[in-house]
């Protein structure tokens, strides 16, 4: 037994070193990100245990990779050599729900969906809804600043985090933020930890905002023959001051993949389908949006007449990734561009696909200009892999050239750490590194994630 | 001419050293915060000039106090000894309005209200509405993470800031954030600068989100005989899942001061008046809110029947501070407590007032649990000053004891820097200091603000 393992055991922890278990815990949902060899897995049950792990890690200079459900798509939870995999998913209790102050206090391993279930008895919900909401944890959502479908109206995860308990690299336990609706005492450390992907500290408790459940929701689907028309519709909807609670785009590649997965009469010849939902005055809002879609050139518009029909429409969107998986391994990309350039970005992705001879389907949080080009590769074929990676890189270049970002919501992780320096200016990058050093002087927290080594 | 002044002049800057001008620029709106003796005032007209000032300051180890309209209430813009007062208010151009992407790019000296005026031709507005919105700058709003009345529904300033250009202590110019609706590339430096009160860098450009102007707004005023009833009404409104666009409380002291300022038939015998506005389905929303107010014990409820009448109701709220100024010098406090404890906080403030024999009126952003106890002092009378300060401190202690914060929206500045250590735990405070050192190793940026020296 190594000294590191002995030290962990000596602190009352139960490190797992079984090779199969370690291998299973060494990856997240990022395809093709290669893990290093972890030294041990510790399943933490309390803040004290998290602190103990970090104290041992600091003593040994051992890297620590914080993990939740490992549903991330950028390799932020991927093992690095010699790492202690610190799994906080056993810390899965909702500690309190306060309906008057509209707060929930949660341990990090609580599933996103579980918060909404618990809040629903008070007519409240936890709004942010990443695609993974039924399987991802609130700790991971916060650590990756997760987005989702309702962001176009309701914003992303960080806007819903009021307070955190964080264990620092030193093992010290810190509270930041507050329990009040407003508060500006000192620097906003809560926001610094949001999206820091486990590189600045380990989140062990979160106080999140709850919101009233909208009274009703309706949706529509609009079919477009060209990406330009679909893009024009999105632009028109947002420029008109509409506030859709969801504004998603499914491209032709996905429409065909979805129909192949389960025939449901999707328009497989269309260039794009827009899905739009509204939840304030839904009938009135959707009537206005329908008119804008038609004006932009929609060939057909289907209105769901009740919530059940609306949910069915959205189900196809939720199955998009699954449908693509039947075509090969999915290399998931995630760019955001100014929403006015959506059509241009869609066309750019297909140009890259054609150039490299790969299949790429795009689903997009269209209202936010956030595109997920899903690139199909066949890892057993090196040429396919190379072509997929070349297309992946070209898409990131394109996003930057359009004034966009290399990651709209999935994060940097290991997948895009070399790209960060292309998006941020050198002064910004230097500040990022200074902050990392200020909080983790030994560099033991999730090294090689976000910032390249 | 001192070496510092020569160096500024040598960089093509025009430092002002006139004693009267310096004195006028050495304070903000925080009563009783004593300024130090500034060395010079520089009115910067460009990012390059801001950078030049910081390079000179770094060379001389001279403190720099960034300033906008100096309407802050916590002394963040107050002069310190030997400081260069760096006024960025001449940088007052709106650089672009993009209605499709709902963005405005502004120099820091643009007034909050000017953004909304410019955006209004596109049916958009800049939502955050601090009380000072007509006279405060966007740079100052961001540097103080300013709140306002519509926060209860629309959130505070930081939620509306997408990107920043910042000049660091070294004089280097950095961009952070993005122009897209979503983006998670690297640590959230934008949020770190929001509320940092000029201690980490000088904001020289901001990209802010614009929002659709709500179609209509209505409001009501509800009269309560006891603070407990008013508090119960607020609790009931928020627990019912209502989303008022404004939920303000005016206490008895303010009602009487307002009526004395300009008789308008306010209920001067009431313990509190609640002002509530709604802007989604206003008639329907206010009917529900009226019922909740009546149920909680409101003695009367007035509904405004149109927008003009609604605005007139709100006018009294906006005059509250002005009305109190007629009673003496106003020491403005700013606490936030869990909104469920609003009544308890109101009673606690009056207990402190009675105990110290001072007049304190409270106006509150009630829906956010954010109270502004306005303490009347007579600076020429040392006993009055001492009593006012004792009450001020007691109110902060009370907020902390109630799980609240020492500042809901005005910031720490010089006024509350010694209180920060009472709110934050020692580990948090140490992290705040490490971040300050990482960004400003020489400690020249607004020293003695936020963090005590």
């Amino acid at each position: 037994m190594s000294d590191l393992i002995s030290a962990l055991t000596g602190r009352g922890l139960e490190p797992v070193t079984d090779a199969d278990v370690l291998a299973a815990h060494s990856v997240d949902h990022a395809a093709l990100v290669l893990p290093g060899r972890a030294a041990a897995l510790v399943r933490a049950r309390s803040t004290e245990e998290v602190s103990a792990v970090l104290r041992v890690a600091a003593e040994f200079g051992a890297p620590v990779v914080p993990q939740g459900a490992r549903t991330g798509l950028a390799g932020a939870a991927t093992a690095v050599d010699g790492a202690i995999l610190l799994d906080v998913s056993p810390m899965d209790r909702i500690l309190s729900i306060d309906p008057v102050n509209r707060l929930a206090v949660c341990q990090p391993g609580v599933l996103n969906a579980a918060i909404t279930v618990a809040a629903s008895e008070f007519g409240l919900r936890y709004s942010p809804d990443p695609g993974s909401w039924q399987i991802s944890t609130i700790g991971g959502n916060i650590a990756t600043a997760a987005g989702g479908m309702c962001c176009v109206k309701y914003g992303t995860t960080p806007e819903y985090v009021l307070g955190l308990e964080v264990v620092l690299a030193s093992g010290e336990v810190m509270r930041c933020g507050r329990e009040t609706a407003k508060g500006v005492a000192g620097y906003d450390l809560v926001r610094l930890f949001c999206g820091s992907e486990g590189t600045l500290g380990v989140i062990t408790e979160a106080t999140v905002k709850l919101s009233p459940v909208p009274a009703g929701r309706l949706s529509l689907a609009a079919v477009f023959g060209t990406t330009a028309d679909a893009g024009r519709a999105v632009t028109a909807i947002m420029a008109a001051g509409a506030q859709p609670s969801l504004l998603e785009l499914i491209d032709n590649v996905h429409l065909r993949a979805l129909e192949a997965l389960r025939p449901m009469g999707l328009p497989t010849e269309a260039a794009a389908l827009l899905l739009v939902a509204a939840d304030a005055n839904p009938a009135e809002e959707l009537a206005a949006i329908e008119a804008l879609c038609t004006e932009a050139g929609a060939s057909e518009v289907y209105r769901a007449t009740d919530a059940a029909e609306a949910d069915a429409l959205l189900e196809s969107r939720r199955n998009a990734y699954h449908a693509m998986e039947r075509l090969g391994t999915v290399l998931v990309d995630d760019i955001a561009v100014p929403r006015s350039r959506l059509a241009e970005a869609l066309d750019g992705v297909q140009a890259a696909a054609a150039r490299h001879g790969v299949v790429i389907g795009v689903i997009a949080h269209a209202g936010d200009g956030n595109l997920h080009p899903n690139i199909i590769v066949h890892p057993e074929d090196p040429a396919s892999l190379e072509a997929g990676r070349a297309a992946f890189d070209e898409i990131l270049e394109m996003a930057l050239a359009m004034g966009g970002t290399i990651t709209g919501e999935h994060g940097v992780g290991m997948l895009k750490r070399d790209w960060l320096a292309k998006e941020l200016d050198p002064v910004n990058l230097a500040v990022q590194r200074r902050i990392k050093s200020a909080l983790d002087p030994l560099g033991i927290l999730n090294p090689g994630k976000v910032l390249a080594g």
Side-chain angles (χ1 to χ4, degrees), chain A:
Chain A
M1 195 158 67
S2 78
D3 291 348
L4 174 66
I5 305 301
S6 305
L8 289 168
T9 308
R11 291 273 191 162
L13 301 162
E14 295 168 12
V16 179
T17 56
D18 177 88
D20 292 341
V21 174
L22 289 189
H25 277 76
S26 289
V27 291
D28 62 16
H29 286 197
L32 309 181
V33 171
L34 292 180
R37 284 177 72 93
L41 164 72
V42 176
R43 296 188 175 99
R45 290 159 301 191
S46 67
T47 300
E48 292 66 35
E49 290 193 352
V50 172
S51 175
V53 167
L54 283 159
R55 286 182 196 278
V56 170
E59 189 184 326
F60 285 81
V64 173
V65 178
Q67 299 185 325
R70 290 180 292 107
T71 55
L73 290 159
T78 305
V80 296
D81 285 339
I84 305 169
L85 305 177
L86 175 53
D87 177 9
V88 298
S89 60
M91 298 175 67
D92 63 356
R93 284 185 302 128
I94 294 176
L95 301 175
S96 65
I97 300 264
D98 176 344
V100 173
N101 295 302
R102 293 187 188 164
L103 300 177
V105 181
C106 304
Q107 291 189 316
V110 172
L111 296 184
N112 175 306
I115 305 174
T116 284
V117 168
S120 65
E121 79 172 275
F122 305 103
L124 298 172
R125 68 173 186 178
Y126 174 68
S127 294
D129 61 346
S132 60
W133 71 297
Q134 290 179 308
I135 55 170
S136 63
T137 63
I138 187 67
N141 287 182
I142 295 170
T144 57
M149 297 200 204
C150 75
C151 307
V152 64
K153 180 167 183 177
Y154 293 104
T156 61
T157 301
E159 293 181 30
Y160 292 85
V161 186
L162 286 179
L164 293 175
E165 179 188 79
V166 176
V167 180
L168 300 179
S170 59
E172 293 170 292
V173 180
M174 177 184 86
R175 287 196 164 265
C176 54
R178 53 187 206 273
E179 295 189 5
T180 50
K182 286 157 84 181
V184 292
Y187 305 137
D188 189 346
L189 300 186
V190 168
R191 277 295 189 122
L192 192 57
F193 287 102
C194 289
S196 67
E197 301 185 9
T199 64
L200 300 180
V202 182
I203 295 164
T204 48
E205 191 185 294
T207 302
V208 299
K209 269 193 236 183
L210 303 175
S211 309
V213 177
R217 183 170 79 161
L218 288 175
S219 59
L220 63 76
V223 182
F224 293 89
T226 69
T227 52
D229 288 349
R232 201 160 42 234
V234 170
T235 301
I237 292 166
M238 299 307 283
Q243 299 205 283
S245 57
L246 176 148
L247 179 42
E248 298 285 313
L249 179 143
I250 304 177
D251 80 345
N252 176 266
V253 175
H254 277 94
L255 287 171
R256 285 185 285 122
L258 281 161
E259 191 67 15
L261 179 72
R262 186 157 67 87
M264 56 182 291
L266 290 171
T268 53
E269 300 303 309
L273 188 75
L274 278 189
L275 293 177
V276 195
D279 62 8
N281 298 303
E284 201 176 301
E285 289 175 279
L286 286 186
I289 287 169
E290 177 171 353
L292 292 167
C293 287
T294 304
E295 207 172 299
S299 56
E300 288 183 274
V301 180
Y302 305 97
R303 291 271 286 277
T305 51
D306 60 29
E309 218 177 289
D311 286 345
L313 272 179
L314 299 177
E315 197 57 27
S316 59
R317 165 62 184 85
R318 295 212 177 264
N319 282 329
Y321 177 80
H322 183 44
M324 290 292 280
E325 276 187 318
R326 308 216 332 183
L327 306 180
T329 296
V330 184
L331 194 51
V332 180
D333 211 339
D334 164 46
I335 59 171
V337 297
R339 68 169 73 89
S340 57
R341 302 186 75 170
L342 178 67
E344 198 182 332
L346 289 167
D347 295 346
V349 170
Q350 288 315 324
R355 204 151 37 237
H356 296 283
V358 290
V359 171
I360 311 180
V362 177
I363 45 173
H365 303 306
D368 286 324
N370 183 195
L371 288 75
H372 295 310
N374 287 325
I375 304 169
I376 303 300
V377 293
H378 305 285
E380 66 288 358
D381 170 8
S384 151
L385 256 184
E386 201 184 318
R389 287 192 162 131
F392 182 89
D393 287 353
E394 241 181 77
I395 290 166
L396 297 181
E397 287 283 10
M398 176 191 74
L400 292 178
M402 290 171 69
T405 174
I406 58 165
T407 174
E409 60 178 9
H410 291 172
V412 176
M414 285 175 78
L415 187 66
K416 292 178 177 172
R417 63 186 180 187
D418 294 326
W419 279 90
L420 196 64
K422 302 188 188 188
E423 175 160 341
L424 305 181
D425 67 45
V427 180
N428 181 315
L429 204 64
V431 169
Q432 304 254 347
R433 288 188 185 285
R434 277 191 262 164
I435 287 170
K436 167 70 174 172
S437 297
L439 273 96
D440 178 20
L442 300 173
I444 59 173
L445 270 171
N446 219 4
K449 315 297 176 68
V450 185
L451 297 166

